[in-house]
Amino acid sequence: ADLSRFLKPSQFGWIQILNPEVFGALITVNNRDEWIYHVTYNPSNGESPEDFSEERCCEILKKAIGVSSLDIVIFSILPWAAAEQTATRFQDNRVFLIGDAAHLMPPTGGFGSNTGIQDAHNLAWKLAAVIHKQAHPRLLQTYHDERHYAVELTTKYASDLLFSVIKKGVSTLNSMDHTAVTVGYKYNSTAIIKENSDTPHRMDQLEL
Ligand SMILES: Cc1cc2nc3c(=O)[nH]c(=O)nc-3n(C[C@H](O)[C@H](O)[C@H](O)COP(=O)(O)OP(=O)(O)OC[C@H]3O[C@@H](n4cnc5c(N)ncnc54)[C@H](O)[C@@H]3O)c2cc1C
């Protein structure tokens, strides 16, 4: 629905809407007439994604926005669940796992596709070098060696962010800064010439 009349001149990326009838997060796509609304359901109360018909979703949205006469078109209704999973191996012979096929993490922190893009970047130039016979196929093994540690750390960090909010707990990883989680690690693999033997695998803070 076009919500621009309620917003001008404000804009936002993400807003939590809490009222006695609905609890969810409204996220902008174009800050005008395309939006994503996240609403929770509780399987232990017998609720399931099938309970969210288009009609019910329209009702929820109207309650969230606070206007009953909105002209809403629903593009899609997608269930998702937060998970923390990293594949034990990113390569099996000629098969490589990248992106969500290799790792799942909660959306807290917004690391999911960034991590997948880093996987793709790491693998793509190595594949090109091997296919063009500029490198030995052994180079491809360094994809797992380099990415697996960084991915596990990122996945754990994203998960800790979610659970520290829910359980109000603090993890040792919470002391890392966000940018360091995204780019603050050094790869250890046979493709890297080590500066010295105690090169740290991860940096908790970055000087920007
Ligand atoms: C609520 C939410 C918020 C998020 N927010 C962020 C964020 O802010 N920042 C961020 O970086 N990440 C975020 N993510 C994570 C991000 O969306 C995913 O990490 C990313 O989309 C994964 O990309 P992918 O290409 O690996 O997998 P996908 O996007 O899942 O793409 C896989 C594609 O393969 C297709 N496919 C599946 N099976 C087959 C088949 N057999 N044949 C052909 N095609 C097939 C699928 O249809 C799909 O199009 C968020 C995720 C969620 C759920």
Side-chain angles (χ1 to χ4, degrees), residues 84-169:
E84 179 194 340
Q85 285 178 344
T86 306
T88 46
R89 284 182 299 143
F90 289 177
Q91 180 192 3
D92 187 6
N93 200 8
R94 286 164 54 86
V95 177
F96 295 87
L97 296 180
I98 69 167
D100 276 18
H103 42 77
L104 293 174
M105 62 191 81
T108 29
F111 297 112
S113 41
N114 290 301
T115 310
I117 290 162
Q118 288 169 323
D119 300 339
H121 172 266
N122 190 290
L123 183 58
W125 71 264
K126 292 173 182 173
L127 278 173
V130 171
I131 289 165
H132 292 118
K133 305 211 180 314
Q134 293 160 330
H136 191 278
R138 247 192 339 261
L139 177 66
L140 294 171
Q141 292 166 12
T142 66
Y143 165 65
H144 170 95
D145 299 340
E146 293 178 3
R147 291 299 300 153
H148 195 265
Y149 175 84
V151 164
E152 262 195 325
L153 182 76
T154 311
T155 306
K156 177 135 189 40
Y157 184 86
S159 197
D160 280 2
L161 275 184
L162 177 70
F163 290 109
S164 62
V165 171
I166 293 173
K167 295 179 184 163
K168 296 196 171 52

Side-chain angles (χ1 to χ4, degrees), residues 23-199:
F23 178 101
L26 187 68
I27 299 177
T28 179
V29 176
N30 66 5
N31 243 306
R32 187 172 44 86
D33 61 0
E34 284 186 34
W35 309 88
I36 301 168
Y37 188 65
H38 292 267
V39 56
T40 54
Y41 69 94
N42 189 344
S44 55
N45 288 347
E47 294 172 330
S48 76
E50 287 71 41
D51 299 332
F52 292 85
S53 62
E54 274 199 24
E55 197 183 5
R56 180 161 175 228
C57 288
C58 282
E59 285 313 307
I60 291 172
L61 285 167
K62 286 173 184 172
K63 283 178 185 159
I65 293 156
V67 180
S68 56
S69 59
L70 276 178
D71 214 1
I72 296 174
V73 178
I74 306 247
F75 292 153
S76 70
I77 303 167
L78 295 171
W80 63 274
E84 179 194 340
Q85 285 178 344
T86 306
T88 46
R89 284 182 299 143
F90 289 177
Q91 180 192 3
D92 187 6
N93 200 8
R94 286 164 54 86
V95 177
F96 295 87
L97 296 180
I98 69 167
D100 276 18
H103 42 77
L104 293 174
M105 62 191 81
T108 29
F111 297 112
S113 41
N114 290 301
T115 310
I117 290 162
Q118 288 169 323
D119 300 339
H121 172 266
N122 190 290
L123 183 58
W125 71 264
K126 292 173 182 173
L127 278 173
V130 171
I131 289 165
H132 292 118
K133 305 211 180 314
Q134 293 160 330
H136 191 278
R138 247 192 339 261
L139 177 66
L140 294 171
Q141 292 166 12
T142 66
Y143 165 65
H144 170 95
D145 299 340
E146 293 178 3
R147 291 299 300 153
H148 195 265
Y149 175 84
V151 164
E152 262 195 325
L153 182 76
T154 311
T155 306
K156 177 135 189 40
Y157 184 86
S159 197
D160 280 2
L161 275 184
L162 177 70
F163 290 109
S164 62
V165 171
I166 293 173
K167 295 179 184 163
K168 296 196 171 52
V170 178
S171 137
T172 52
L173 292 179
N174 290 166
S175 60
M176 292 182 75
D177 79 36
H178 230 65
T179 318
V181 178
T182 314
V183 291
Y185 43 80
K186 292 185 177 178
Y187 292 141
N188 277 340
S189 82
T190 51
I192 310 281
I193 299 167
K194 286 188 177 151
E195 289 167 35
N196 59 50
S197 55
D198 55 2
T199 304

